Amino acid sequence: MLKRFYSNLGIDLIPTEKTQSISIENEELISEKKKHNIVGEYEVINGSIFSIFTYNKSNYLFLKDQSLLIDESINIKYQVNYNYDELSYFEVFKNDVLLIREEYKNEREPLIDPFGYEPDWEHINFSYHLYSYVKRVKDNPAINLFPKNNESKLIKSLEGDNLLDYYFYIHKFNNKDIVLRVIAGKSVNDNISSLASFENGDWKKQTPVIKSFMNHYVTGWIDEKDKIDPKIVEEIVVLSTPYKIIKSRNYAIKKHKSQRYGKHPYEIHLTNVVSILLHFGAELQKDIDLFSAAWLHDVIEDTDADKAWITSNCGEDVRKIVELVSNIKDPLKSKVKNKEKTFENIATNQNAINVKLADRIANVEFSLLHRNIGMIKKYQEEHSLIRDIISPKINTEIGKRLFLHLENTLQRQFEQNRNE
């Protein structure tokens, strides 16, 4: 998934007034020492890291090359601008002395605001979040911004392990994808004693999993191509993203690589569809087929995607969802009849309904943001078909919320157009 406004991470630094243990390369944090018990969030602005994190139950700012304890002495002033040509900025003061002023372009499109369900430039702007975090600490000095527990959904520490020291594999055990590792540099057979699988936040020698894995190995299942990239390992064991979703995302981004969504790479649209599902209550660990299909929802219709690849890597159910949401283009029928048939197909599957509604919300709000009157009118005209054909078949809470939001958004725009 694209790095959103904030990416959660474990930061490798010990808070001091001057800290040099963070470097930036390709917008990724490079560890120089063993990880410490630090969790937080960061943004890269003008090539430098700015971060808010928690360490030993205290909250800190990291500004380029210095870390500051957030307390009553820290103040933030900021200005958010709402187009690409004007600069946003923030200023950090300690005891009313200006420490830093940073100006930058707000280059991200607004996504759905999970609180007000409106496109919101401020909500995705670093300045606003920086101010909000500092204000929360000043309002409640005892607050722990980033508690290290499962409910916080923050990154779990890898205990200082260097991912390059291991080879990693995915193994399906009891219908669940398990990550296994073995020390790099030798064959799996040579390193059977080092095999471990990841579960409940730690690497363990779980005999049933390892035996099952080795049964595949001795039949010739494992070879060089079976290794998975350490970056994928981070997503699975650190961010708890199911492997099927990662595979679906990577395949979709590859297939849409040459396509644009307005002036943006097409993956912006895919990311927004997934984000909308998250905002309206879908869960990565629970709704795996839904998210896989969301990433892939346009590949059959708009690319040379291989249906067999989808089936073998993501399953029959995901392939079926993607086929259902793909527009029918029967040259012997009118556009309206083709659209009706497409919606009738979608209405037979709850996941297809949710993907289609999230897709439509993403397109409607993108069109509203860019004042694409022609597309807005098209979506308003088609909405009666969605209301008549799809909405009576919705039987999930997520689907009901998605439909209500879509209908309210289009209705508000219709009333606004009528009053202008």
Side-chain angles (χ1 to χ4, degrees):
M1 188 181 294
L2 285 176
K3 183 168 79 70
R4 297 193 198 152
F5 172 70
Y6 277 132
S7 292
N8 297 321
L9 73 158
I11 304 175
D12 184 7
L13 63 84
I14 299 174
T16 61
E17 285 302 305
K18 288 287 183 179
T19 303
Q20 301 293 338
S21 60
I22 287 186
S23 60
I24 184 69
E25 187 174 297
N26 296 325
E27 294 199 6
E28 295 174 2
L29 289 177
I30 308 300
S31 294
E32 296 180 357
K33 299 178 182 178
K34 186 175 179 180
K35 285 184 183 294
H36 296 278
N37 294 321
I38 298 174
V39 288
E41 298 180 344
Y42 78 100
E43 181 60 283
V44 178
I45 296 179
N46 298 331
S48 297
I49 289 180
F50 297 85
S51 175
I52 303 98
F53 62 90
T54 299
Y55 176 74
N56 284 349
K57 299 183 179 180
S58 294
N59 303 293
Y60 293 84
L61 299 178
F62 182 81
L63 311 172
K64 287 188 176 179
D65 65 351
Q66 62 178 309
S67 55
L68 299 168
L69 176 68
I70 303 176
D71 57 20
E72 284 297 323
S73 69
I74 302 297
N75 286 298
I76 305 292
K77 293 183 180 179
Y78 76 99
Q79 175 63 52
V80 168
N81 290 307
Y82 301 98
N83 60 56
Y84 294 109
D85 299 322
E86 298 179 8
L87 294 177
S88 297
Y89 75 84
F90 61 87
E91 296 175 332
V92 181
F93 295 83
K94 182 177 177 65
N95 294 323
D96 297 325
V97 175
L98 178 64
L99 297 181
I100 190 169
R101 174 186 170 93
E102 196 75 21
E103 295 182 341
Y104 60 97
K105 285 188 176 181
N106 187 38
E107 296 179 344
R108 292 176 176 81
E109 292 288 352
L111 301 180
I112 303 299
D113 177 354
F115 304 104
Y117 301 122
E118 296 291 344
D120 187 349
W121 281 92
E122 186 172 63
H123 177 70
I124 63 163
N125 199 293
F126 177 80
S127 296
Y128 169 75
H129 283 262
L130 182 65
Y131 167 81
S132 298
Y133 274 123
V134 171
K135 185 177 186 300
R136 286 175 62 191
V137 175
K138 294 178 73 172
D139 288 344
N140 180 9
I143 193 173
N144 187 348
L145 288 175
F146 305 105
K148 290 192 288 295
N149 56 52
N150 291 333
E151 285 74 33
S152 70
K153 297 182 180 178
L154 298 175
I155 282 185
K156 304 182 186 78
S157 170
L158 285 178
E159 304 298 333
D161 290 335
N162 184 347
L163 294 179
L164 299 180
D165 290 340
Y166 299 91
Y167 293 150
F168 297 93
Y169 302 90
I170 287 287
H171 176 59
K172 190 167 287 294
F173 182 75
N174 288 342
N175 205 33
K176 180 181 178 182
D177 285 328
I178 304 290
V179 179
L180 291 99
R181 73 179 186 185
V182 63
I183 293 175
K186 297 181 180 180
S187 70
V188 174
N189 192 49
D190 291 335
N191 280 328
I192 291 175
S193 61
S194 73
L195 266 174
S197 57
F198 189 86
E199 189 167 351
N200 297 326
D202 201 3
W203 297 97
K204 301 174 182 177
K205 293 187 179 300
Q206 300 174 86
T207 301
V209 177
I210 293 173
K211 278 188 175 181
S212 175
F213 176 76
M214 293 306 297
N215 285 340
H216 283 283
Y217 171 69
V218 296
T219 60
W221 177 71
I222 296 175
D223 59 30
E224 188 69 24
K225 74 177 188 299
D226 293 308
K227 296 175 187 175
I228 60 174
D229 191 293
K231 286 297 175 187
I232 292 177
V233 175
E234 284 189 306
E235 291 191 74
I236 297 171
V237 306
V238 176
L239 299 175
S240 300
T241 304
Y243 186 46
K244 184 192 289 189
I245 297 176
I246 296 172
K247 285 193 293 186
S248 301
R249 178 202 65 196
N250 291 353
Y251 186 73
I253 290 175
K254 176 183 176 182
K255 288 299 178 181
H256 289 289
K257 187 174 182 180
S258 63
Q259 299 174 353
R260 307 293 292 178
Y261 187 68
K263 63 183 178 182
H264 305 285
Y266 200 82
E267 63 183 287
I268 288 289
H269 169 63
L270 304 180
T271 302
N272 281 352
V273 172
V274 170
S275 296
I276 289 165
L277 290 171
L278 287 168
H279 292 325
F280 281 86
E283 300 176 23
L284 284 175
Q285 293 293 325
K286 176 183 175 183
D287 304 304
I288 296 175
D289 284 352
L290 174 63
F291 283 105
S292 295
W295 281 112
L296 295 166
H297 76 273
D298 279 334
V299 296
I300 291 178
E301 182 178 335
D302 294 337
T303 79
D304 62 351
D306 183 358
K307 292 183 183 179
W309 184 95
I310 299 174
T311 301
S312 62
N313 287 274
C314 307
E316 289 278 357
D317 290 342
V318 171
R319 178 191 53 76
K320 180 180 178 181
I321 297 166
V322 178
E323 286 183 325
L324 289 174
V325 300
S326 300
N327 284 322
I328 293 173
K329 298 176 181 178
D330 186 342
L332 300 179
K333 295 182 179 179
S334 67
K335 288 184 177 179
V336 172
K337 289 296 182 182
N338 279 332
K339 186 63 67 174
E340 287 178 352
K341 182 58 179 176
T342 300
F343 287 168
E344 287 170 0
N345 288 344
I346 291 170
T348 65
N349 183 289
Q350 293 302 309
N351 277 335
I353 289 173
N354 291 339
V355 169
K356 185 59 186 179
L357 291 175
D359 175 47
R360 183 52 55 96
I361 290 170
N363 285 327
V364 166
E365 298 202 342
F366 188 84
S367 298
L368 289 171
L369 178 66
H370 294 279
R371 301 306 302 161
N372 189 332
I373 304 302
M375 291 304 298
I376 295 171
K377 184 177 179 181
K378 172 180 176 291
Y379 294 137
Q380 288 174 327
E381 291 172 350
E382 286 185 359
H383 188 64
S384 61
L385 292 177
I386 293 178
R387 183 189 298 115
D388 294 341
I389 298 173
I390 293 180
S391 69
K393 302 294 185 178
I394 298 174
N395 60 26
T396 66
E397 288 303 315
I398 293 172
K400 292 173 183 177
R401 290 194 291 268
L402 287 165
F403 176 75
L404 181 61
H405 176 67
L406 175 61
E407 183 150 84
N408 288 342
T409 299
L410 289 171
Q411 182 61 34
R412 285 197 303 270
Q413 186 60 33
F414 175 79
E415 293 173 355
Q416 180 179 328
N417 291 342
R418 187 173 58 185
N419 294 331
E420 288 179 353

